[in-house]
Amino acid sequence: MDLSEKKIDSELKYSGVIVNVTMDHAELCDGSIVMREVVEHPGGVTVLPVDDDGFCYCVGQFRYPFQKVMLEAPAGKLEKGEDHRTCAVRELSEETGFTADKLTYLGPSCTSPGISTEVLHIYLAQGLHAGKSHPDEGEFLSVEKRHIDELVDMVMSGEIDDGKTIIAVLKAKRILDSEK
């Protein structure tokens, strides 16, 4: 069965600093017409830096929509035309100060496929070298060192509820365990 939907038209409803929102009319596989709200997002990266002893470096960051500080893997948005690996190197340095000898691509994550075009590319960073962080203007972070096993426990208990961090931690744990 062909489940695809055909875009008939699209109207820009909002143009923002990071996202645009369109209202589309689409034809379903049964011929009916529906409205689809689409949040157009440039995408981004998530990088979980892990040292030789299994300690990860996450960031605490206040997330305005949720009105709380969340513990997250370092992350950031792609600049127009930027390669996601290049973005991962940049964000790792900006948010933690680290550079890495090895970046392993853990795959993409469609963050909210029902409404958004955002795709986050997830990386594991190993062979870390410390440096000085340099967050973007207006970006305030605390770097926190946690063992991968503690992060897995925090994910499983719901203490970490950020989707990109959950995926990065669980995928990284699988890879780190396979390297033993």
Side-chain angles (χ1 to χ4, degrees):
M1 173 184 236
D2 180 10
L3 300 176
S4 61
E5 299 179 9
K6 179 183 170 190
K7 185 191 311 186
I8 297 170
D9 61 32
S10 182
E11 180 182 351
L12 181 65
K13 292 292 188 177
Y14 173 77
S15 180
V17 175
I18 297 174
V19 300
N20 294 328
V21 179
T22 64
M23 181 67 73
D24 296 358
H25 287 95
E27 181 179 350
L28 302 181
C29 56
D30 68 359
S32 60
I33 306 298
V34 296
M35 293 173 54
R36 296 286 190 233
E37 295 171 315
V38 179
V39 178
E40 298 172 343
H41 188 284
V45 300
T46 301
V47 185
L48 187 65
V50 183
D51 69 19
D52 294 339
D53 296 319
F55 285 94
C56 305
Y57 297 84
C58 294
V59 294
Q61 187 170 11
F62 186 81
R63 293 304 192 179
Y64 183 83
F66 293 97
Q67 290 292 297
K68 69 177 184 176
V69 173
M70 298 178 81
L71 185 65
E72 305 175 15
K77 81 175 179 60
L78 286 162
E79 300 299 329
K80 187 173 178 78
E82 184 179 28
D83 174 74
H84 56 80
R85 185 179 192 83
T86 302
C87 182
V89 170
R90 176 175 49 80
E91 288 297 332
L92 178 63
S93 174
E94 284 180 4
E95 294 195 1
T96 67
F98 285 116
T99 56
D101 291 334
K102 181 180 177 185
L103 272 180
T104 303
Y105 185 56
L106 303 181
S109 171
C110 298
T111 61
S112 188
I115 63 164
S116 176
T117 63
E118 181 181 25
V119 176
L120 289 178
H121 298 276
I122 302 170
Y123 285 87
L124 167 63
Q126 295 172 285
L128 303 178
H129 303 279
K132 184 165 173 45
S133 66
H134 45 99
D136 291 332
E137 185 177 329
E139 184 175 42
F140 302 98
L141 310 166
S142 65
V143 178
E144 298 186 26
K145 181 179 174 180
R146 305 283 180 103
H147 195 273
I148 187 73
D149 293 332
E150 180 185 3
L151 290 177
V152 169
D153 289 343
M154 293 171 76
V155 164
M156 297 310 291
S157 72
E159 189 175 349
I160 292 178
D161 55 2
D162 170 59
K164 67 186 178 302
T165 302
I166 291 168
I167 295 166
V169 166
L170 296 180
K171 285 189 167 191
K173 175 66 170 158
R174 172 68 64 90
I175 287 177
L176 294 170
D177 284 351
S178 73
E179 292 177 348
K180 289 181 181 177

